Amino acid sequence: MRMNPLLREVRHNRLLWLLVFVPAVFAGKSVRPEAETLLFVLSVLAIVPLAALLSHATESVAAKTGDAAGGLLNATLGNLTELVIAVAALRAGEHMLVKASIAGAIVTNTLFMLGASFLLGGLKHHVQEFNRANARLQAGLLFLATVALLIPSAVGEADSGPAAAFAQEVSVGLSVLLIAAYGLGLLFSLKTHRDLFGSAEHAEGDEAPWPLGLALGTLAGVTVLVALVSEVFVESVQGASLELGMTPAFVGFIVVALVGAAAEMAAAFSGARKNRLDLSVGIALGSAVQIALFVAPVLVLLSYVIGPAPMSLQFWPGAVVMVLVATITASQATNAGRSAWFVGVLVLMVYGVFAMTLYLLPPRAQ
Amino acid sequence: MRMNPLLREVRHNRLLWLLVFVPAVFAGKSVRPEAETLLFVLSVLAIVPLAALLSHATESVAAKTGDAAGGLLNATLGNLTELVIAVAALRAGEHMLVKASIAGAIVTNTLFMLGASFLLGGLKHHVQEFNRANARLQAGLLFLATVALLIPSAVGEADSGPAAAFAQEVSVGLSVLLIAAYGLGLLFSLKTHRDLFGSAEHAEGDEAPWPLGLALGTLAGVTVLVALVSEVFVESVQGASLELGMTPAFVGFIVVALVGAAAEMAAAFSGARKNRLDLSVGIALGSAVQIALFVAPVLVLLSYVIGPAPMSLQFWPGAVVMVLVATITASQATNAGRSAWFVGVLVLMVYGVFAMTLYLLPPRAQ
Amino acid sequence: MRMNPLLREVRHNRLLWLLVFVPAVFAGKSVRPEAETLLFVLSVLAIVPLAALLSHATESVAAKTGDAAGGLLNATLGNLTELVIAVAALRAGEHMLVKASIAGAIVTNTLFMLGASFLLGGLKHHVQEFNRANARLQAGLLFLATVALLIPSAVGEADSGPAAAFAQEVSVGLSVLLIAAYGLGLLFSLKTHRDLFGSAEHAEGDEAPWPLGLALGTLAGVTVLVALVSEVFVESVQGASLELGMTPAFVGFIVVALVGAAAEMAAAFSGARKNRLDLSVGIALGSAVQIALFVAPVLVLLSYVIGPAPMSLQFWPGAVVMVLVATITASQATNAGRSAWFVGVLVLMVYGVFAMTLYLLPPRAQ
């Protein structure tokens, strides 16, 4: 009886049928460890349903623990998949992959998830309205994170020896500052000014929550599975991207980001179709904020403990520009508090410009 | 009798008295082909009234063919003058001139035409209001075009061999994307959501439309004349700018743009004085959008057919920054939906900063 | 009897107790001229109360001379302290210090003063509202100034010989343009459209004005004192920053700016606590505008008369980026016309990113 809700979920939600690829990854890894493209595809397919399970388990725990603690839990574990993948890459010393997937997740959430929500909602409803207060808060936090990425490289544009030490010191300081800003933002929206954030409060509130024991067990078990699959993924991504004729930048920025966010996208798009754009905007911008102000700085601090070398918060200039443009786009697209299908098209087209550029980029220019 | 409306127009509209310079250009060309400054000045003076005629003929055809087809016609032929001049430069392989005149037209329309409309209207009316929906749509499209100019150079900042091929490939892809966005924008504003774009629908609706035969004849005949004059213009511009002590950047960016848009400016300014700012904002931003999302990408694609070498969509960094600043300025200046004279002054001052910088720029630094 | 209001002010306002450091500076200078750190600290402590006196004297003269003349006086002498310090640095040929203190004053006023006002006001009041018209005007003027700093270096990015002459020419032209824009902005807000700027009109209107004779006398006498103390300050700043382990960029940008604006900050913060955010926003953005569009261009023009070499308006790229980010932040933070404590936190955090980066910057990278 105890597994009932989980089994019902699996039968109900077609995304979860992809769980069959989880054993397939481990089988493939032991039988043909050199088939990198195969392992890459299998691990991508396996991560999607695991991410959906993690997301639902987190929601269920949050629902049981009351509003403030639940909000905090959602806010810290909501992007657990991305965090676990990134930790695997960090342990392998693949800083470029970590950074590409961080920047890619920010850009994909703010542009693809938001734009597609506007488009899908707009195709069904003439004009849709949503709560501006939440969109403004998230856009403000994203802007702060962008400034933190931009300023150190713009101000200390220099070189060699002292610059590297400077990048490291400033990254630790800014990581602490970003986490503090994120925490104060939660205090603001969940506690002191929750009256302003009316309808956007529970994210994927549609589905029935699981019992606490099942939820905690799933959370623990699935996190381990994601960690194991991520290791295969990180090992295979470089070889696979070469074989598939895609640049590593494209894979890290676009493919990984779309995979990691698949579960949230399903929820955001369904909200948009049901004319609950508050939900969609909240998930899209909220996820981006969480990655920029919580996951990324936590990874920088973690890199001192678990990585072969400390990771800085300095991104390559093209990534900073894309994050900046994505932030401005999201801020402009949401600041009227209303949308129609063409707003979605515009936002998606900005994403299209990024994707096309990264896809065509000659490998050496990255 | 058939020429009556055309003759009446010429007598009524003093701008058209400049038509006398059309034969003067051809006379000058055959008598003194080496007098570049003279030919430059004559061709500039000849293009102004031809552009006014083209503009009126397009309007008249549009008025006869009904709303949707008419809107489309206006949207494709509205900047025919700029297109014909640019095609002449493209055939001569003068990519720098083409790009300078594209960027210059965007900047001049968004800053000079918009700013002067606000100023002229504001000197007569204390506070003026206009439809924000249209301004927001146009600003959004302009922003997309700016992103398309910015991202390839920011992301693929590199060099030499592979970078040049990359620039070419990405330019073709982005051109198709921009034309698609432009088309969807027309679908949105003319068809699915035309209710939002209330009063801004007909652009130069003041003047009486011509009969269809006259309009089509004028369209065909004047286009040929503009093409012939443009050839003289393109040949003489380089020599003339040196002799006049102006940098080529200043001539391409400021002089050519002001000349090409003279007819639209007359309409925009007259709208502003009559407190019909919807009209002025629509013409100014609409023209800029048309050049950025239709004329420029069409020229890139055309360059594969008619040019000596394919042209990319990559602009020199200073031009990208100016287009970006102009887009942000226009977006900020219009997003309140109301204006007073000082808003016009601010917008014109931004243009003044550009003009002053380009005028003083040492030739080798471009 | 005549000195009564001044003495009452000194007894009442604890900031003025710091006046004791004024004689201490001169004593220190003659006894131990080589103790740079001591002289630096003493002169900083002496400038704070002198700035407060200057500010109150200017207000008092303005209050006596009627609205238009008073507004103009406040607008030109409101940042007299910053101007006098900068003139001292200009005479010593310390262009880097002048520029750092200009950029620092803009950034500190728009971010620290504004953010702390929002935070302090927000901790006492749930949501605060203020007049958007004034905030929009000031943000527009700041944006123009930023464009004037940005465009010459973005467009004429070149090199050596002709570039230096170009920078000088364009700086003079842009200085005249900025002063004109500032003047027209005063005409707009004090004269033609003063109806739009309702409650923000008198800045520090709380305190009782002094009699005209006392005010004029204080203005003259204190200006001389500030000039003398500034000379000591400028001579000692370089040595002191080395000894204190702070980079010159940090000292110029952050320390000097906080010192120069101490008096205005006291007024802005007290306004915010009293729920008069119009006052706070007006002082913070108004001061930044005054420095960017009046003090800075006046210094460029003055440098031809009093300096050993003419000073340009070209700032080092990091400073331009910071001024740009500060302008965008202020514009976004004020454009809703309402604020809560977290808006203040976000604005202060942006300032924190700047301060942290400048503090950690290795000296040679500036």
Side-chain angles (χ1 to χ4, degrees), chain A residues 122 125-127 316-319 321-322 325 328-329 332-336 338 340-343 345-346 349-350 352-354 356-358 360-362 364-366, chain B residues 136-137 140-141 143-144 147-148 150-152 154-159 162-163 166 169-170 173-174 177-178 180-181 184-185 187-188 192-193 195-196 331-332 335:
Chain A
H125 308 274
H126 192 64
V127 170
W316 110 103
V321 172
M322 283 191 278
V325 167
I328 296 174
T329 306
Q332 292 294 315
T334 56
N335 87 1
R338 57 211 302 258
W341 67 266
F342 191 67
V343 179
V345 168
L346 275 179
M349 289 262 180
V350 173
V353 172
F354 291 3
M356 192 179 282
T357 305
L358 289 172
L360 294 174
L361 201 62
R364 72 181 69 177
Q366 291 156 44
Chain B
R136 281 182 66 90
L137 172 68
L141 284 165
F143 179 73
L144 174 63
V147 170
L150 173 69
I151 292 298
V155 171
E157 43 202 330
D159 39 90
F166 161 70
E169 273 179 26
V170 95
L174 292 179
L177 187 144
L178 288 179
L184 290 170
L187 180 67
F188 182 70
T192 73
H193 284 64
D195 52 306
L196 301 177
S331 161
Q332 293 294 314
N335 87 1

Side-chain angles (χ1 to χ4, degrees), chain A residues 1-9 214 218:
Chain A
M1 286 307 282
R2 190 169 159 272
M3 291 300 280
N4 228 0
L6 182 52
L7 286 177
R8 204 183 322 126
E9 177 88 18
L214 172 64
T218 309

Side-chain angles (χ1 to χ4, degrees), chain B residues 98-332:
Chain B
V98 177
K99 290 180 179 180
S101 70
I102 289 172
I106 297 173
V107 164
T108 299
N109 287 340
T110 45
L111 297 179
F112 184 78
M113 206 191 291
L114 187 72
S117 295
F118 282 168
L119 178 58
L120 291 171
L123 289 177
K124 204 162 166 188
H125 308 275
H126 191 64
V127 171
Q128 297 185 292
E129 312 236 327
F130 54 91
N131 183 353
R132 285 164 63 168
N134 190 40
R136 281 182 66 90
L137 172 68
Q138 308 291 359
L141 284 165
L142 268 182
F143 179 73
L144 174 63
T146 311
V147 170
L149 297 184
L150 173 69
I151 292 298
S153 48
V155 171
E157 43 202 330
D159 39 90
S160 64
F166 161 70
Q168 215 50 60
E169 273 179 26
V170 95
S171 295
V172 171
L174 292 179
S175 296
V176 173
L177 187 144
L178 288 179
I179 294 172
Y182 186 62
L184 290 170
L186 292 178
L187 180 67
F188 182 70
S189 61
L190 297 176
K191 194 106 186 166
T192 73
H193 284 64
R194 56 183 303 181
D195 52 306
L196 301 177
F197 299 91
S199 61
E201 58 215 15
H202 357 68
E204 278 110 318
D206 272 4
E207 303 158 30
W210 293 337
L212 190 59
L214 172 63
L216 285 174
T218 308
L219 207 53
V222 172
T223 301
V224 172
L225 283 178
V226 172
L228 293 173
V229 174
S230 296
E231 245 163 62
V232 179
F233 172 79
V234 168
E235 281 167 22
S236 63
V237 64
Q238 199 123 28
S241 63
L242 281 179
E243 258 183 79
L244 293 169
M246 293 188 277
T247 63
F250 182 79
V251 172
F253 229 81
I254 306 288
V255 178
V256 176
L258 288 173
V259 168
E264 284 137 324
M265 280 185 202
F269 297 163
S270 132
R273 303 287 298 173
K274 290 175 191 149
N275 207 9
R276 294 174 61 193
L277 262 195
D278 277 327
L279 209 80
S280 314
V281 173
I283 297 174
L285 297 190
S287 281
V289 163
Q290 198 168 15
I291 286 167
L293 284 99
F294 185 77
V295 173
V298 161
L299 287 169
V300 168
L301 299 179
L302 267 183
S303 74
Y304 282 83
V305 186
I306 63 168
M311 186 178 81
S312 80
L313 207 60
Q314 272 191 316
F315 284 67
W316 110 103
V320 175
V321 172
M322 283 192 278
V323 169
L324 180 63
V325 168
T327 302
I328 296 174
T329 307
S331 161
Q332 293 294 314

Side-chain angles (χ1 to χ4, degrees), chain C residues 228-240:
Chain C
L228 293 172
V229 174
S230 298
E231 244 163 64
V232 180
F233 172 79
V234 168
E235 281 167 23
S236 63
V237 64
Q238 200 123 27

Side-chain angles (χ1 to χ4, degrees), chain C residues 149-229:
Chain C
L149 297 184
L150 174 69
I151 290 300
S153 47
V155 170
E157 43 201 329
D159 41 275
S160 63
F166 160 70
Q168 215 49 60
E169 273 179 25
V170 96
S171 294
V172 171
L174 292 178
S175 296
V176 172
L177 186 144
L178 288 179
I179 294 173
Y182 186 63
L184 290 170
L186 293 178
L187 181 67
F188 181 70
S189 60
L190 297 175
K191 193 107 186 165
T192 73
H193 284 63
R194 55 182 303 180
D195 52 308
L196 301 178
F197 299 90
S199 61
E201 58 213 15
H202 357 66
E204 277 111 316
D206 273 3
E207 303 157 29
W210 293 337
L212 191 58
L214 171 64
L216 285 175
T218 309
L219 207 54
V222 173
T223 301
V224 172
L225 283 177
V226 173
L228 293 172
V229 174

Side-chain angles (χ1 to χ4, degrees), chain A residues 194-282:
Chain A
R194 55 183 304 178
D195 52 306
L196 300 178
F197 298 91
S199 61
E201 58 214 18
H202 357 69
E204 277 110 317
D206 272 3
E207 303 159 29
W210 293 337
L212 190 59
L214 172 64
L216 286 175
T218 309
L219 206 53
V222 174
T223 302
V224 172
L225 284 177
V226 173
L228 293 172
V229 175
S230 298
E231 244 164 63
V232 180
F233 172 80
V234 168
E235 281 167 22
S236 63
V237 64
Q238 199 123 27
S241 64
L242 280 178
E243 260 182 76
L244 293 169
M246 295 188 278
T247 62
F250 182 79
V251 172
F253 229 81
I254 307 287
V255 178
V256 176
L258 289 173
V259 168
E264 285 136 324
M265 279 183 200
F269 297 164
S270 131
R273 302 287 298 173
K274 291 176 192 149
N275 207 8
R276 294 172 61 192
L277 263 193
D278 276 328
L279 208 80
S280 314
V281 173

